[in-house]
């Protein structure tokens, strides 16, 4: 049935490029084969193909045939997903350049993949500022063709593993978000028997994934040797920096579209299933975990079990080439009884996904978990918006505030969660004051008064804060 479906779809879907016209609301694609099919048909067939992968993964413990899903159709569709104007890899090819002869380029790519003459190129390493630090963070930029192949393989892996991943894993997954992870943290503390939290940090996780173990995990679920062969080629592609080539013997591909799902697969076996099948069964009290990518917190009813888990965690991570950062990891007393069981009446806090989580109370005195923008993250936001205002100080005020409001809206949409109005209000007030001070530095003609500035804000208002997400009632 699967083979028949693939043949049926191949009759009319091929790389799209030569001519694209719009007939009313129905966009038509003329492919290099000379046949015509609507984008709606293409998208529908694409969705069906990936749904078939999910069905196979659910039915069979090990999926056998995946490589044929990396074809002219899926690669052309992935090309359409790529954003324009992105930095180029060592090939120097942009999306626009590749698109100028898209049909032939993709046809040639598929031929090379079938004969295994296609080899991923090394990623070009550059550096960007690291949030909250003066250090620089390395960033890898793949070549354009590698982006296309990785993008399709990532979607295939997503379908294979979506039904296997644990519910408490939220990072880089379809229909899961950071806000849902935060809601799960809140609900676990509020409704479960939580008295202690293990706030753990894995040192340099993405740079230390063991290739041999990762391939073993993939082989457990995927029997397609050709598919696995290309994943291994991406892992071994290497890095180019200052015209020097460096081998990559560990870690996931820097900047690669495939990296997040590979990281999730690694932690699914190293951490998630181990916690579910081993750790929880050894606990006489309740135990829970919430993970977003490599950032995770664990909740325990009893202190001795939290301490035992911490010791086991170090050993477990070490077995798979990972290391627990002792400086950033800790066990804290947390929950509705934390304050009354504390000798000095004080309680600890922990940071997770950009928020500091605090033992607090409602206006009526009932226990509640309070979520505030992390001071570290807020300091970074202050510095970034200040730098941006300096860089744009000579533009028109209307244009500046229009761009500034887009940045504020993004900040509010993430940090505007239940109980954090004060946090986003602080950011708003800082932006208003910083804009006033920096606009006054534009010339030597004298200072603009607050009265005049407020009149300008009436005409060009800076977006005021509002809450967007109610994590207390998320399902």
């Amino acid at each position: 049935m699967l083979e028949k479906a693939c043949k049926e779809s191949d009759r009319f879907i091929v790389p799209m490029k030569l001519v694209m016209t719009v007939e009313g609301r129905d966009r038509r694609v003329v492919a290099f084969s000379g046949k015509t099919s609507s984008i709606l048909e293409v998208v529908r067939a694409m969705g069906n193909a990936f749904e078939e992968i999910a069905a196979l993964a659910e039915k069979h413990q090990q999926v056998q045939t995946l490589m044929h899903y990396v074809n002219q159709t899926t690669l052309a569709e992935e090309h359409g997903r790529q954003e324009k104007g992105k930095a180029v890899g060592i090939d120097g090819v942009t999306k626009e350049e590749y698109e100028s002869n898209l049909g032939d380029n993709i046809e040639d790519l598929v031929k090379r993949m079938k004969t295994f003459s296609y080899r991923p190129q090394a990623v070009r390493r550059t550096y960007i500022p690291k949030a909250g630090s003066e250090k620089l963070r390395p960033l890898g930029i793949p070549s354009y063709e590698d982006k296309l192949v990785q993008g399709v393989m990532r979607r295939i892996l997503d379908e294979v593993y979506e039904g296997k991943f644990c519910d408490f894993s939220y990072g880089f997954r379809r229909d899961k978000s950071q806000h849902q992870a935060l809601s799960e943290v809140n609900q676990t503390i509020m409704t479960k028997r939580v008295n202690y939290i293990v706030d753990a940090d894995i040192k340099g996780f993405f740079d230390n994934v063991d290739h041999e173990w990762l391939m073993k995990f993939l082989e457990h679920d995927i029997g397609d040797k050709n598919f696995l062969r290309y994943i291994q080629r991406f892992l071994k592609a290497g890095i180019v920096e200052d015209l020097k080539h460096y081998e990559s013997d560990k870690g996931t591909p820097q900047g690669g579209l495939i990296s997040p799902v590979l990281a999730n697969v690694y932690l699914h076996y190293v951490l998630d299933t181990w916690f579910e099948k081993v750790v929880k069964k050894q606990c006489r009290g309740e135990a829970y975990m919430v993970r977003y990518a490599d950032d995770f917190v664990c909740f325990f009813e009893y202190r001795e079990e939290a301490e035992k888990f911490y010791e086991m965690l170090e050993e477990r991570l070490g077995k798979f080439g990972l290391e627990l950062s002792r400086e950033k990891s800790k066990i804290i007393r947390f929950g509705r009884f934390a304050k009354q069981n504390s000798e000095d009446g004080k309680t600890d806090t922990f940071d997770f996904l950009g928020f500091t989580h605090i033992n607090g109370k409602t206006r009526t005195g009932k226990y509640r978990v309070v979520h505030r923008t992390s001071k570290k993250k807020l300091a970074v936001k202050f510095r970034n918006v200040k730098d941006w205002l300096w860089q744009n100080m000579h533009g028109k005020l209307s244009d500046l505030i229009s761009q500034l409001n887009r940045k504020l809206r993004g900040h509010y949409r993430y940090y505007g969660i239940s109980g954090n109005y004060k946090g986003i209000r602080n950011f708003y007030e800082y932006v208003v004051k910083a804009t006033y001070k920096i606009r006054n530095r534009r010339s030597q003609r004298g200072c603009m008064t607050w009265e005049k500035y407020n009149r300008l804000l009436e005409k060009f208002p800076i977006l005021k804060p509002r809450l967007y997400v109610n994590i207390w009632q998320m399902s």
Side-chain angles (χ1 to χ4, degrees):
M1 182 180 293
L2 178 58
E3 184 179 355
K4 181 180 179 182
C6 293
K7 289 180 179 178
E8 287 292 316
S9 63
D10 286 342
R11 288 190 305 178
F12 65 94
I13 307 176
V14 285
M16 322 165 229
K17 173 61 185 99
L18 295 188
V19 181
M20 294 186 68
T21 61
V22 178
E23 299 174 4
R25 296 183 63 184
D26 181 26
R27 301 181 69 196
R28 310 293 292 183
V29 180
V30 180
F32 58 72
S33 66
K35 298 182 180 180
T36 303
S37 52
S38 70
I39 287 182
L40 180 61
E41 289 174 314
V42 172
V43 172
R44 184 181 293 124
M46 287 295 302
N48 290 340
F50 287 110
E51 286 174 6
E52 289 166 355
I53 299 172
L56 286 172
E58 184 178 359
K59 184 177 180 180
H60 305 286
Q61 181 178 340
Q62 192 181 57
V63 183
Q64 295 295 329
T65 54
L66 292 175
M67 200 62 215
H68 68 278
Y69 289 104
V70 185
N71 54 43
Q72 294 176 349
T73 304
T74 54
L75 290 166
E77 199 265 347
E78 184 63 31
H79 166 78
R81 290 168 168 259
Q82 300 299 314
E83 296 181 24
K84 294 182 178 180
K86 289 293 186 179
V88 298
I90 63 173
D91 61 344
V93 176
T94 65
K95 177 179 180 178
E96 294 79 5
E97 291 170 342
Y98 198 82
E99 192 173 276
S100 64
N101 194 21
L102 181 63
D104 290 341
N105 285 336
I106 290 182
E107 187 175 21
D108 177 65
L109 173 58
V110 172
K111 286 181 180 178
R112 284 182 282 128
M113 292 193 73
K114 287 180 177 179
T115 59
F116 293 98
S117 59
Y118 162 73
R119 289 190 174 276
Q121 300 186 59
V123 299
R124 180 173 69 85
R125 177 183 278 173
T126 185
Y127 291 88
I128 59 175
K130 186 176 181 179
S133 171
E134 295 182 358
K135 298 180 180 179
L136 295 176
R137 182 168 66 89
L139 177 67
I141 305 172
S143 65
Y144 191 76
E145 279 193 338
D146 294 346
K147 289 180 182 179
L148 299 185
V149 177
Q150 283 195 42
V152 177
M153 294 183 77
R154 180 208 66 219
R155 294 183 68 190
I156 293 170
L157 287 169
D158 283 342
E159 296 299 336
V160 171
Y161 282 98
E162 182 57 34
K164 299 180 186 295
F165 288 151
C166 297
D167 290 339
F168 56 75
S169 168
Y170 288 87
F172 310 114
R173 292 180 61 188
R174 183 173 60 246
D175 300 327
K176 285 186 176 285
S177 68
Q178 291 164 301
H179 289 139
Q180 289 176 320
L182 291 167
S183 177
E184 184 68 18
V185 167
N186 184 83
Q187 291 300 314
T188 300
I189 297 172
M190 290 294 297
T191 63
K192 308 298 182 182
R193 294 179 179 177
V194 171
N195 295 312
Y196 296 91
I197 288 178
V198 176
D199 181 13
D201 183 88
I202 302 175
K203 188 180 294 184
F205 167 71
F206 287 94
D207 296 328
N208 290 291
V209 169
D210 184 279
H211 290 177
E212 186 176 349
W213 274 114
L214 176 58
M215 294 308 300
K216 287 181 180 178
F217 297 149
L218 292 168
E219 288 166 4
H220 180 266
D221 304 303
I222 298 172
D224 190 329
K225 302 296 184 183
N226 293 334
F227 187 85
L228 295 173
R229 183 176 178 181
Y230 273 116
I231 289 182
Q232 195 152 34
R233 285 188 177 184
F234 277 115
L235 293 173
K236 302 293 185 183
I239 300 162
V240 168
E241 181 180 356
D242 296 331
L243 302 180
K244 294 181 180 180
H245 183 273
Y246 299 92
E247 298 291 335
S248 51
D249 57 352
K250 60 181 179 179
T252 56
Q254 287 191 357
L257 299 178
I258 205 171
S259 293
V261 66
L262 291 180
N264 263 345
V265 170
Y266 201 78
L267 286 178
H268 172 70
Y269 284 107
V270 172
L271 188 62
D272 298 356
T273 55
W274 170 70
F275 187 86
E276 279 288 287
K277 296 181 179 181
V278 178
V279 175
K280 291 182 73 172
K281 289 183 178 180
Q282 293 181 4
C283 293
R284 60 187 178 91
E286 296 184 12
Y288 306 95
M289 176 192 289
V290 176
R291 180 174 69 82
Y292 190 95
D294 62 328
D295 198 0
F296 66 97
V297 286
C298 299
F299 311 87
F300 292 90
E301 184 176 357
Y302 300 114
R303 182 175 186 88
E304 61 269 22
E305 292 176 351
E307 292 173 343
K308 178 63 176 177
F309 168 73
Y310 190 94
E311 295 175 5
M312 293 169 62
L313 180 62
E314 283 192 293
E315 183 179 345
R316 177 71 177 179
L317 294 177
K319 177 181 178 180
F320 297 97
L322 302 175
E323 183 181 357
L324 191 67
S325 174
R326 281 190 165 270
E327 300 78 22
K328 298 180 180 179
S329 303
K330 59 184 178 180
I331 300 174
I332 63 171
R333 186 190 298 273
F334 202 96
R336 62 179 67 254
F337 303 113
K339 188 171 184 178
Q340 68 187 57
N341 292 330
S342 173
E343 295 180 358
D344 56 4
K346 297 180 180 180
T347 61
D348 289 319
T349 64
F350 68 98
D351 283 8
F352 183 62
L353 298 181
F355 292 86
T356 299
H357 307 275
I358 308 162
N359 288 302
K361 292 182 179 180
T362 64
R363 293 178 180 178
T364 58
K366 294 182 178 180
Y367 176 77
R368 189 185 76 181
V369 183
V370 177
H371 314 277
R372 294 279 187 262
T373 307
S374 162
K375 290 183 179 179
K376 180 180 177 181
K377 294 293 184 182
L378 195 58
V380 173
K381 294 286 185 178
F382 286 165
R383 184 163 61 248
N384 288 345
V385 76
K386 184 178 179 180
D387 291 343
W388 184 86
L389 286 169
W390 275 110
Q391 294 166 10
N392 295 272
M393 65 184 293
H394 295 293
K396 291 174 59 177
L397 183 62
S398 59
D399 293 339
L400 180 138
I401 290 182
S402 177
Q403 296 178 59
L404 186 61
N405 284 344
R406 285 197 290 272
K407 295 179 180 294
L408 284 170
R409 186 173 289 107
H411 181 87
Y412 300 156
R413 284 188 180 277
Y414 183 72
Y415 288 99
I417 68 171
S418 313
N420 193 39
Y421 183 79
K422 182 178 179 181
I424 58 176
R425 178 76 188 183
N426 288 343
F427 187 64
Y428 165 77
E429 291 174 352
Y430 176 86
V431 168
V432 171
K433 292 177 183 177
T435 304
Y436 170 74
K437 291 179 181 178
I438 291 173
R439 293 292 292 186
N440 268 333
R441 301 286 184 88
R442 293 200 312 164
S443 68
Q444 304 295 324
R445 294 183 178 179
C447 181
M448 175 174 57
T449 64
W450 268 101
E451 183 179 357
K452 182 178 180 181
Y453 180 57
N454 285 327
R455 287 200 300 269
L456 286 172
L457 291 185
E458 290 178 4
K459 187 176 181 181
F460 308 110
I462 293 177
L463 188 66
K464 292 185 178 180
R466 55 162 288 201
L467 300 181
Y468 279 87
V469 182
N470 184 351
I471 65 167
W472 296 333
Q473 295 182 357
M474 290 183 73
S475 57

